[in-house]
Amino acid sequence: MTAPAHLLAHGVGSRHDLPLSPFYAYAGAFAALFVSFLALGLLWSSSRFRGDRAGRPLPAALQRLADAPATRTALRLIGAAAGLAVLLHLLLGPDDPDRNPAPGAVYVLLWVGLVPASLLLGPVWRLLNPLRTLHALLPAPRAPRPVPTGLGIRPAAAGLLLFAWLELAAPDPASTTTLLTFLAVLTVTGLLGAARHGPDWFAHADPFEVYSSLLARLSPLGRRADGRLVLRSPFDGLDSTPQTPGLVATVCVLLGSTAYDGVSDNPRWITTLQTSALGPTLTATLGLLAAVALVAVLYALCAGTLRLMTRTLTHPLTSFAHSLLPIALGYLVAHYFTLFVTEAPRTVMMAAGTDNASAPAPPLSPGGLAALQVAAIVTGHVLGVVAAHDRSVRLFPPARAVAGQLPLFALMIAYTLGGIGLLIA
């Protein structure tokens, strides 16, 4: 595999030579979490987040512009044009990520670029999604069936796991054949589901739309329950995350796949892939599934402990799943920052017709990158502690509000130490 293809397949490449002191990294992370937990327990005795009831309304003219049919049509056309351009590059362009911008468009501009786009602008993929545009052009079903309530966003979790496998475990993730196959599967399943259930299907099953919508919960730009466009605290957006079936699975896929990305370029793991009797693809697949399963098992143990401590908590799995979203965001920033700021410009230059486009130099020194990665992981976990605490004082009796968080606090420590361990392993 060529160097750019390897880069696309494994995030930011090697991070194991970063000038990072294990002692100071672990000690700083633990101190930040412990101080946050202690301060919240002493100073935060009642719930302060109001979910989708919160927010300062933006000017009415701005809302009219955002909701105008012309604006939404323009965004649909932009998304459709971008999707068509990627498809044409895959069909007609060279099978070489050095000269074809399509792999970078999928793995960098779409997958990584949705992170800052959703944080700044909200659930943008819902408006750009080419599959929604394509579905709108097809004959509408006479009586679309409602999406089953129990299905939730489980199909999207499966789609995200498939994409993670494509990126991290497939034998040739940057090849045009691989990408065309994935996009064909995504298109066929999306359109068949929408033909049966209408456009609401995409909000449950499209992996990129669900991914963007979950990240947008941390955006300062959002909508109140009455539909008004508002500026809000990201904590209010996080608090309004629906406790839908599949939420835990989706977040565990995001956390576990990003954790496996951190393992995948470890020299010892690379040696394991090369020498495994099962072959590199199957071994990588099992490693990816094991990482996702480990994240899920730890969270399930935490939820089970919460249920034993407070019998009145009827939905421990989904009640605190929203607190994992900032952690997933911290992992995404830590693992993909360098990839985005170097490969995104290179992909755009290739799409514009530049031959032999080279990626710009990383904007941070190794020391600066190490500090950013640790800060992103620790900040994500601190935000998760705050979100979990607010939900805890709402759900638990006052006498148990702090004690009830101890399993979650232990889980946050485990995730934090694991995330930092991946950076310095």
Side-chain angles (χ1 to χ4, degrees), residues 87 337 377:
L87 180 61
F337 171 79
I377 290 175

Side-chain angles (χ1 to χ4, degrees), residues 343-358:
E343 287 298 315
R346 178 176 176 273
T347 299
V348 172
M349 287 188 290
M350 277 197 291
T354 303
D355 291 330
N356 300 317
S358 58

Side-chain angles (χ1 to χ4, degrees), residues 141-154:
R142 292 184 179 179
R145 301 182 182 183
V147 178
T149 305
L151 188 65
I153 57 173
R154 290 191 178 102

Side-chain angles (χ1 to χ4, degrees), residues 218 235 238-239 241 247 251 255 299 302 306 316-329 379-391 408 411-412 415:
L218 287 159
F235 284 115
L238 194 61
D239 188 65
T241 305
L247 175 62
V251 179
L255 285 171
Y299 182 71
C302 174
L306 287 173
L317 277 174
T318 55
S319 294
F320 292 92
H322 71 298
S323 66
L324 300 183
L325 287 174
I327 301 174
L329 174 61
T379 300
H381 283 82
V382 170
L383 296 180
V385 168
V386 174
H389 177 85
D390 190 85
R391 183 65 57 86
L408 286 164
L411 179 70
M412 299 292 183
Y415 282 169

